Amino acid sequence: MTLVAITFAILLVMGMPVAFVMGISGLMFFLGQETLTFTIPVQLTVTQTQNFAMLAIPMFIFAGNLMNQTGITKHLLKLASVLTGHMRAGLSQTTCVLSALMGGVSSSAIGDASMQSRIFQPTMEEKKYSKGFGAGSVAFSSIITPIIPPGTGLILYGTIGEVSIGRLFAAGIIPGIIMTITMMAAVNFTARKLNMPPEREKRASNSEIFKTAIECIWALLFPIFLFIGMRTGFFTPSEAGAFTAVYTVVIGIFAYKELTWEKFKHAIDITVIDVGMIMLLICFSGALSYGLTWESVPQSIMSFLFGITSSPILIMTLIIVFLLIAGMFVDSTVLILLLTPMLVPVAREIGVDPIHFGLVMILTLTCGLLTPPVGVCMYVVCTIYDCSIGQYVRESKYLWMAVIFAIIVILLVPQLSLWLPELIFSRKF
């Protein structure tokens, strides 16, 4: 495995696309093995796509892209603005609420950051928002999106780690709400430091909130339909993705009447690119994952951690620190594919529920999207806001504190993640 690790590091530093880095590193493992035939990596590359649960990924991505073309995003933005417009830095508060509402729509932090930057940047510039604060509020709020169901990261983790995807979806709701509240508190604290006024003089009336919520009712009902269908066994996670795509088309045509043939084709074009990128990573990860398992890397990690401490909390802390550092250099999707087979057995061994561990892992890895040197969300918002990395980092310090605080709370109180899955999936009706 030493040769594999060196190959992986060199190719990554050279800037080779990560999918090919994983594929070549996996091949290097088999080149050094006399007992394994060279046909295995070819078979593994193909069989990675044969998992029925993987169908959920393209379906949910397609549904998310469709929702952005049907007017659902526009209605959710209006609701978020009505709910938060009376607060200081109301536009930044709106990004937090919109990201929470968008969790069931886009399921992608990068997509959310890109979309919201283009929506809010002109208005924030007009309102004299600091570039670093505006970019930071959009970037940091975007990491709420992947843990609100149906996040793609949760589907990948559940499929590879053989963990219930339905339970993972349910587990993400309360941590997502906690992330939203802590992020809004950090935005409010920063706004007071900068003496930023609210966007509107007084809170929206109950009737205005109710009227706006009714306009968004089809988007708000979607997660409810999703959980009812999965809880009752009406459909599997993969079938849930197909249901979501059909649901979105129907709403776009008959409810909001904004889905045209051109928008539908555009959603397909974007989906093909997104799915192609993710599935290439999944295919080429097969040989490398097989090599890690063959060499008993999960067991080695477990032995190493138990050699340092036997405390589950300290072991989890070490894992989180490792994930935060790894996320700064490698894309979160790649790390989920690589690390899930290694770390899920460790979590089970120390008595940590894999559902709880999955939420902590996905949230921690997603933080890598916010940091140099490869933080995609960071680069997206800084480019659109014409903001330097230094200014973005300086003016996001309170947002970072909020993220770290939320991770610590979610880690130390497992029931925040486990209570809802137990309520929905364990109770007999």
Side-chain angles (χ1 to χ4, degrees):
M1 289 303 293
T2 303
L3 179 61
V4 173
I6 293 173
T7 303
F8 188 94
I10 291 174
L11 295 179
L12 200 61
V13 171
M14 289 173 58
M16 180 178 286
V18 177
F20 297 110
V21 173
M22 297 172 70
I24 293 172
S25 300
L27 287 176
M28 292 300 295
F29 168 77
F30 284 92
L31 284 174
Q33 297 291 324
E34 297 181 358
T35 56
L36 297 175
T37 65
F38 206 63
T39 59
I40 295 178
V42 179
Q43 295 170 351
L44 289 170
T45 301
V46 175
T47 55
Q48 287 293 98
T49 65
Q50 306 304 303
N51 191 329
F52 182 75
M54 286 289 184
L55 282 175
I57 296 173
M59 289 291 99
F60 278 117
I61 290 174
F62 181 45
N65 289 327
L66 275 174
M67 287 182 179
N68 288 330
Q69 305 294 324
T70 58
I72 289 178
T73 301
K74 180 177 67 178
H75 285 83
L76 292 177
L77 174 59
K78 183 178 179 181
L79 176 60
S81 180
V82 167
L83 292 172
T84 62
H86 64 283
M87 301 177 182
R88 287 180 180 270
L91 289 174
S92 292
Q93 298 285 11
T94 301
T95 67
C96 298
V97 176
L98 182 59
S99 290
L101 295 174
M102 286 294 290
V105 178
S106 71
S107 74
S108 165
I110 299 171
D112 186 73
S114 178
M115 178 202 70
Q116 291 208 43
S117 294
R118 291 183 173 88
I119 291 174
F120 288 105
Q121 188 276 332
T123 308
M124 285 185 173
E125 184 177 3
E126 181 185 334
K127 298 282 186 180
K128 307 298 182 184
Y129 275 58
S130 164
K131 289 183 178 181
F133 173 60
S137 60
V138 171
F140 277 79
S141 65
S142 70
I143 68 170
I144 300 170
T145 302
I147 61 173
I148 299 282
T152 304
L154 297 176
I155 299 172
L156 285 173
Y157 172 86
T159 303
I160 297 168
E162 298 182 351
V163 179
S164 167
I165 294 175
R167 288 176 179 267
L168 283 168
F169 282 177
I173 294 177
I174 293 179
I177 293 172
I178 292 172
M179 284 289 297
T180 305
I181 293 172
T182 55
M183 208 70 71
M184 292 178 71
V187 167
N188 182 66
F189 186 80
T190 306
R192 290 184 181 277
K193 286 280 187 180
L194 299 175
N195 196 29
M196 299 177 68
E199 301 299 323
R200 53 194 295 172
E201 294 182 2
K202 58 182 181 179
R203 186 190 300 268
S205 64
N206 292 334
S207 60
E208 183 180 0
I209 294 174
F210 180 76
K211 180 182 177 182
T212 308
I214 291 298
E215 293 177 5
C216 302
I217 190 66
W218 296 112
L220 298 176
L221 284 176
F222 155 67
I224 298 175
F225 292 152
L226 188 67
F227 280 118
I228 290 176
M230 295 182 70
R231 172 62 184 87
T232 57
F234 187 75
F235 43 59
T236 65
S238 300
E239 293 165 345
F243 160 78
T244 305
V246 173
Y247 178 86
T248 305
V249 170
V250 172
I251 297 306
I253 295 175
F254 298 105
Y256 295 137
K257 301 179 180 179
E258 294 190 26
L259 182 61
T260 64
W261 178 244
E262 289 301 318
K263 289 182 177 180
F264 183 80
K265 289 195 296 182
H266 181 63
I268 292 177
D269 290 341
I270 299 172
T271 301
V272 168
I273 295 172
D274 293 342
V275 172
M277 175 185 67
I278 293 174
M279 293 309 295
L280 194 62
L281 284 168
I282 292 173
C283 288
F284 285 162
S285 71
L288 186 56
S289 297
Y290 185 92
L292 294 171
T293 304
W294 181 269
E295 293 293 329
S296 302
V297 173
Q299 290 80 0
S300 299
I301 293 175
M302 197 181 307
S303 299
F304 173 74
L305 291 173
F306 277 116
I308 297 174
T309 176
S310 59
S311 169
I313 293 296
L314 288 179
I315 291 176
M316 283 292 290
T317 302
L318 291 172
I319 291 174
I320 287 174
V321 172
F322 166 71
L323 294 176
L324 283 172
I325 295 172
M328 294 173 64
F329 298 95
V330 184
D331 181 74
S332 57
T333 301
V334 177
L335 290 173
I336 292 170
L337 293 171
L338 281 177
L339 299 178
T340 297
M342 293 188 285
L343 296 181
V344 169
V346 176
R348 286 196 168 104
E349 181 68 21
I350 63 176
V352 176
D353 191 293
I355 301 291
H356 176 223
F357 178 76
L359 263 294
V360 175
M361 178 178 173
I362 300 301
L363 178 56
T364 305
L365 289 177
T366 306
C367 291
L369 297 171
L370 307 173
T371 57
V374 293
V376 179
C377 287
M378 176 189 68
Y379 288 121
V380 166
V381 298
C382 287
T383 299
I384 295 174
Y385 276 79
D386 191 23
C387 166
S388 70
I389 301 297
Q391 186 179 5
Y392 159 86
V393 171
R394 285 193 306 272
E395 299 188 17
S396 301
K397 56 181 178 293
Y398 298 117
L399 295 169
W400 256 119
M401 292 179 187
V403 170
I404 298 300
F405 173 78
I407 292 175
I408 292 172
V409 170
I410 294 168
L411 170 63
L412 296 180
V413 189
Q415 280 304 112
L416 292 173
S417 304
L418 301 177
W419 173 75
L420 198 55
E422 290 172 359
L423 178 67
I424 295 176
F425 292 92
S426 298
R427 185 176 176 183
K428 295 181 180 181
F429 292 95

